């Protein structure tokens, strides 16, 4: 973005890009504030089925904020339901993710009239040890989606700013890299130190999707293991759909209120969904299923290399469209597989009482 | 002396570069292996920070397969989220950034976003910055692992993802608003590079035994600074290889990878 103050980023690389006018890719800070104020702030039972949650909140053209980090506590059950429900011209916002955006991208490859991604604000899209994500490579290199690049901290700080109700946040990264040129941040001179400082706009998703370790029926949620950026995303979004491994009592929440990482007013729906991050990992419950990820990834890569959608289509038909619920999918994955992943977690310590 | 692979040499060299009583912000794969090796040998008081949110974990369940792996959170001293990890780094608690990339230039700037310089329709789209851009900006010193090839050690990047010394001007990083002192080492299996304090340009420090500085220069597309006192890289001992192969990456997830041409 054009800056009032220039860092020295000029002519360091051969990069070519189109200069963009600034716009929010989701609710503005004022719109997000208004939506939060207008919600009921009562403690009320928010338990619904995932089908009801997604039908109520996911619409064409929304900004979808995706929780988790790479393969950890990724909200896969909600993604499956969104694919069944459909949604066009989506904007995706996340820091680093693997199978969630790839599943959405695969749905777009198969039927763009049902689901399509318009643009993505992100830090990273891949599988780490398992390999690159074939479908982001396919969509981006064919110019089918618009990308807006930040660092992992940048995206996290943008959600954090939104969660704090402030319109931007100063950060000590992006400056001097080409992200300064292509993304929607802005370099200014700090009014106090007189030195250059990079500002990032708050990121308010229309809908935040997160999977948590435990929550009560009102949406007060605990997270064990790395928080990733789930608390910030839930608080930044104008609506938050949550799945949780286990619904726990409000007595327990009130006994240890310090453990609540996501407070109930920012949560719209809660659904108990054991294994809700599978094939991702959920600390204290199960490790990630590398074999399933590899299998799905190889189907995506086959499509990227050959243009043949058959393998992908079979996966979606078998594991998503022929399933009414995520439990139907888990039944196909099978108890033995799930048990193995539970053992591989190694009983990491979590507090449920 | 036993035979060792290129990945083992990189991991061993990465370990050598890390000092004790420091915190290293690690990326997936060889950086984690290098840091674990350092902890087991010369740097028992070296600790890791993982960007998903954990500080100083005890990796008793084995090597984490990614920086978001739940195993990286095991018995940490402090466990928050990405904001927690990166804000500690902005504050000055992370001494080393340990990152990789697709291309590096003579000032230690690194590309991991695209290949082909059209941002809106690139030749190849890579995963993106991830944590690397923030680590290179705000850890005190940046260590990069690269494959030593002419197409990777380039005169000009397609995209600057992780800031190095920019165009080499002395105030580049200050004008960019970043905090760390910048590029420190670039590690390959055949050479170890540092940076000249005055010109900020990449400088050859060590070569693999049997290699000459000219052979290294031939694999780099820009002019290296080659001082008269280039040293030989230390090679891993049998005990180092035992630690790498049998203790740290016993399943061979990273060290036994086959290099694709």
């Amino acid at each position: 973005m054009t800056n009032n103050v220039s860092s020295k980023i000029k002519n360091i690389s051969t990069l070519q890009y189109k200069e963009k006018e600034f716009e929010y890719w989701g609710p503005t800070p004022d719109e997000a504030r208004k939506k939060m104020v207008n919600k009921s702030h009562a403690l009320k039972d928010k338990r619904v089925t995932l089908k009801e949650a997604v039908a109520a909140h996911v619409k064409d053209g929304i900004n979808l904020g995706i929780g988790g980090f790479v393969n950890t506590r990724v909200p896969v059950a909600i993604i499956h339901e969104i694919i069944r429900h459909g949604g066009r011209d989506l904007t995706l916002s996340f820091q680093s993710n693997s199978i969630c955006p790839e599943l959405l991208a695969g749905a777009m490859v198969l039927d763009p009239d049902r689901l399509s991604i318009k643009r993505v604000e992100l830090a990273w899209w891949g599988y780490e040890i398992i390999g690159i994500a074939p479908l982001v490579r396919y969509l981006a290199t064919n110019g089918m989606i618009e990308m807006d690049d930040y660092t992992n901290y940048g995206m996290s700080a943008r959600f954090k700013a939104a969660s704090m109700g402030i319109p931007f946040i100063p950060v000590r990264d992006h400056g001097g890299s080409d992200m300064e040129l292509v993304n929607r941040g802005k370099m200014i001179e700090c009014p106090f130190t007189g030195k250059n400082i990079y500002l990032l706009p708050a990121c308010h998703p229309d809908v935040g999707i997160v999977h948590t370790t435990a929550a009560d029926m009102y949406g007060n949620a605990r997270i064990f293991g790395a928080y990733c950026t789930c608390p910030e995303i839930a608080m930044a979004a104008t609506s938050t759909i949550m799945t949780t491994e286990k619904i726990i009592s409000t007595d327990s929440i009130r006994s240890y209120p310090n453990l609540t990482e996501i407070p109930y007013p920012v949560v719209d729906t809660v659904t108990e969904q054991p294994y809700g991050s599978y094939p991702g990992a959920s600390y204290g419950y199960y490790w990630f299923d590398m074999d399933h990820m590899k299998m799905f990834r190889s189907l995506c890569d086959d499509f990227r290399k050959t243009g043949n959608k058959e393998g992908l289509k079979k996966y979606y038909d078998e594991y998503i469209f022929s399933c009414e619920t995520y439990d139907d999918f888990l039944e196909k994955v099978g108890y033995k597989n799930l048990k193995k992943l539970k053992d591989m977690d190694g009983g990491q310590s979590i507090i449920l009482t | 002396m036993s035979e060792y692979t290129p990945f083992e040499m990189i991991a061993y060299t990465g370990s050598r570069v890390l000092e004790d009583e420091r915190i290293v912000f690690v990326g997936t794969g060889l950086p984690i292996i290098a840091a674990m090796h350092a902890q087991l040998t010369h740097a028992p008081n070296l600790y890791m920070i993982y960007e998903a949110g954990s500080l100083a974990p005890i990796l008793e369940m084995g090597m984490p397969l990614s920086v978001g792996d739940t195993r990286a959170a095991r018995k940490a001293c402090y466990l928050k989220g990405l904001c927690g990890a990166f804000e500690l780094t902005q504050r000055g608690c992370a001494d080393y950034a340990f990152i990789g990339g697709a291309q590096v230039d003579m000032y230690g700037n690194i590309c991991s976003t695209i290949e082909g310089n059209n941002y809106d329709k690139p030749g190849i789209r890579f995963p993106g910055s991830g944590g690397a851009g923030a680590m290179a900006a705000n850890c005190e010193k940046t260590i990069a692992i690269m494959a030593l090839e002419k197409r990777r050690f380039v005169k000009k990047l397609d995209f600057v993802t992780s800031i190095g010394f920019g165009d080499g001007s002395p105030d580049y990083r200050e004008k960019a608003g970043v905090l760390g002192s910048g590029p420190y080492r670039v590690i390959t299996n055949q050479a170890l590079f540092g940076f000249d304090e005055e010109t900020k340009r990449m400088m050859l420090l060590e070569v693999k035994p049997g290699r000459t500085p000219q052979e290294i220069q031939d694999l780099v597309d820009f002019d290296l600074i080659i001082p008269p006192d280039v040293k030989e890289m230390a090679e891993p001992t049998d005990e180092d290889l035992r630690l790498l192969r049998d203790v740290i990456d016993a399943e061979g997830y990273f060290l036994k990878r086959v290099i694709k041409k």
Side-chain angles (χ1 to χ4, degrees):
Chain A
M1 196 172 156
T2 310
N3 295 309
N4 296 338
V5 174
S6 185
S7 81
K8 292 194 164 186
I9 176 90
K10 275 188 191 102
N11 209 22
I12 308 278
S13 72
T14 60
L15 176 70
Q16 294 175 0
Y17 67 103
K18 278 199 298 282
E19 190 71 49
K20 285 176 286 201
E21 284 297 308
F22 177 79
E23 59 169 338
Y24 284 101
W25 282 14
T28 65
D30 285 348
E31 288 164 354
R33 161 85 192 186
K34 198 183 252 176
K35 285 203 170 155
M36 191 61 81
V37 168
N38 288 339
K39 278 187 199 182
S40 163
H41 295 157
L43 280 165
K44 58 181 183 186
D45 188 351
K46 293 172 186 167
R47 289 172 296 176
V48 296
T49 65
L50 261 189
K51 198 178 277 300
E52 291 165 331
V54 168
H57 295 287
V58 175
K59 315 267 190 258
D60 290 350
I62 61 165
N63 182 316
L64 185 68
I66 305 174
F69 176 75
V70 191
N71 299 329
T72 282
R73 251 180 345 80
V74 279
V76 183
I78 306 174
I79 291 285
H80 275 214
E81 193 52 49
I82 290 174
I83 291 169
R84 280 190 286 268
H85 173 267
R88 284 174 292 195
D89 290 327
L90 300 176
T91 297
L92 307 183
S93 53
F94 55 87
Q95 11 81 354
S96 290
N97 213 299
S98 59
I99 196 161
C100 291
E102 278 291 274
L103 278 167
L104 294 172
M108 175 173 170
V109 163
L110 292 173
D111 185 0
D113 291 332
R114 176 195 284 267
L115 191 141
S116 58
I117 304 164
K118 180 181 170 191
R119 55 193 180 184
V120 188
E121 37 188 336
L122 82 167
W124 199 87
W125 180 339
Y127 287 96
E128 292 210 298
I129 184 171
I130 297 168
I132 60 125
L135 297 183
V136 64
R137 187 165 285 193
Y138 168 77
L139 294 175
T141 54
N142 286 297
M144 295 165 75
I145 49 173
E146 188 179 347
M147 307 289 277
D148 194 33
D149 277 277
Y150 300 85
T151 69
N152 269 338
Y153 181 56
M155 280 309 298
S156 300
R158 295 185 59 211
F159 291 125
K160 182 174 194 167
S163 79
M164 294 164 76
I166 57 177
F168 64 83
I169 188 163
V171 292
R172 297 298 214 154
D173 52 0
H174 306 84
S177 81
D178 282 332
M179 285 183 280
E180 180 185 332
L181 300 177
V182 299
N183 75 22
R184 284 170 293 141
K186 195 178 178 73
M187 188 73 81
I188 66 151
E189 192 179 284
C190 168
F192 305 107
T193 64
K195 292 182 173 179
N196 284 0
I197 180 81
Y198 201 63
L199 306 184
L200 293 175
C203 179
H204 287 283
D206 291 283
V207 177
I209 57 174
V210 295
H211 182 70
T212 60
T213 314
D216 72 0
M217 65 179 178
Y218 307 125
N220 294 300
R222 287 182 193 163
I223 297 172
F224 289 91
Y227 298 157
C228 309
T229 314
C230 290
E232 292 88 349
I233 290 172
M235 288 190 254
T238 57
S239 303
T240 293
I241 298 173
M242 182 192 293
T243 49
T244 190
E245 287 292 330
K246 191 173 171 57
I247 297 279
I248 59 174
S249 75
T250 300
D251 278 353
S252 171
I253 291 287
R254 289 188 182 281
S255 299
Y256 305 101
N258 287 133
L259 295 182
T260 302
E261 284 300 327
I262 300 176
Y264 79 91
V266 304
V267 177
D268 292 79
T269 69
V270 187
T271 306
E272 186 176 66
Q273 181 58 67
Y275 288 94
S277 282
Y278 175 87
S282 188
Y283 183 97
Y285 288 105
Y286 47 95
W287 207 47
F288 76 108
D289 187 344
M290 199 175 339
D291 291 338
H292 191 99
M293 294 247 190
K294 277 184 178 164
M295 182 262 283
F296 175 65
R297 184 193 171 279
S298 74
L299 298 173
C300 296
D301 214 27
D302 285 348
F303 161 71
R304 179 176 73 91
K305 287 173 177 161
T306 67
N308 183 343
K309 300 176 186 172
E310 276 313 301
L312 257 190
K313 186 168 181 308
K314 262 192 195 153
Y315 181 95
Y316 281 74
D317 285 345
E318 167 77 7
Y319 289 120
I320 300 178
F321 293 125
S322 70
C323 299
E324 266 294 301
T325 66
Y326 208 66
D327 282 348
D328 293 340
F329 165 63
L330 294 173
E331 200 169 318
K332 293 186 178 187
V333 170
Y335 171 76
K336 279 185 184 165
N337 271 331
L338 298 177
K339 167 130 189 346
K340 187 177 83 186
L341 300 172
K342 180 174 183 290
D343 293 343
M344 288 176 90
D345 171 72
Q348 304 262 37
S349 305
I350 58 177
I351 302 169
L352 298 176
T353 54
Chain B
M1 178 75 60
S2 305
E3 290 284 307
Y4 54 84
T5 67
F7 287 135
E8 287 164 350
M9 185 56 155
I10 289 171
Y12 173 69
T13 306
S15 167
R16 276 201 297 132
V17 166
L18 298 169
E19 283 174 41
D20 201 12
E21 300 188 12
R22 293 284 161 193
I23 290 175
V24 53
F25 200 132
V26 287
T28 292
L30 295 174
I32 296 178
I33 294 173
M36 289 174 80
H37 180 274
Q39 287 178 327
L40 291 169
T41 54
H42 65 94
N45 235 335
L46 170 80
Y47 299 99
M48 288 182 236
I49 188 165
Y50 286 82
E51 59 195 288
S54 93
L55 171 66
I58 297 174
L59 302 177
E60 62 185 16
M61 298 177 70
M63 178 189 64
L65 296 192
S66 84
V67 290
D69 191 334
T70 50
R71 291 175 174 180
R74 185 73 167 184
K75 293 193 174 167
C77 288
Y78 178 76
L79 180 54
K80 301 288 177 188
L82 279 86
C83 286
F86 284 108
E87 284 157 14
L88 266 182
T89 301
Q90 273 191 171
R91 183 66 188 85
C93 292
D95 300 286
Y96 301 106
F98 216 145
I99 64 176
Q103 294 175 326
V104 63
D105 69 15
M106 72 164 86
Y107 296 113
N109 305 297
I110 291 173
C111 173
S112 55
T113 302
I114 52 174
E115 186 177 298
N117 60 0
N118 180 353
Y119 181 67
D120 305 301
K121 206 175 171 186
I124 298 179
R125 170 73 206 195
F126 297 125
S129 160
M135 290 153 70
N138 293 322
C139 293
E140 190 49 30
K141 294 173 175 174
T142 304
I143 303 166
I145 291 176
M146 299 289 303
L148 185 58
E149 298 170 25
K150 233 177 182 160
R151 66 189 183 105
R152 297 183 183 277
F153 282 68
V154 297
K155 288 198 179 86
K156 250 187 187 187
L157 304 179
D158 289 333
F159 187 102
V160 180
T161 311
S162 297
I163 183 174
F165 293 118
D167 61 1
S169 51
D171 59 350
Y172 187 90
R173 290 179 66 91
E174 194 190 341
K175 289 274 185 202
V178 305
L179 291 167
S181 64
Y184 174 60
R185 293 287 183 268
V186 177
I187 299 172
T188 74
N189 68 311
Q190 300 183 55
L192 175 67
F193 304 95
F195 291 85
D196 178 53
E197 215 165 287
E198 200 162 315
T199 62
K200 309 291 185 195
R201 280 173 49 199
M202 198 183 292
M203 180 163 74
L204 185 60
L205 298 179
E206 299 177 3
V207 295
K208 187 178 163 180
R211 287 296 202 165
T212 66
Q214 187 56 46
E215 284 172 326
I216 303 303
Q217 175 64 69
D218 290 345
L219 294 168
V220 173
D221 204 31
F222 51 82
D223 287 339
L224 290 166
I225 294 178
I226 302 181
D229 58 342
V230 172
K231 296 186 183 69
E232 279 199 339
M233 291 170 85
E235 296 176 292
T237 64
D238 288 348
E239 174 60 8
D240 293 314
L241 293 173
R242 188 189 69 81
L243 289 174
L244 292 172
R245 290 172 189 170
D246 301 343
V247 177
I248 298 169
D249 187 12
E251 309 280 330
Y253 283 114
F254 296 101
L255 295 176
K256 291 198 182 128
R257 268 181 306 167
V258 179
I259 306 172
K260 283 188 203 146
K261 285 288 169 196

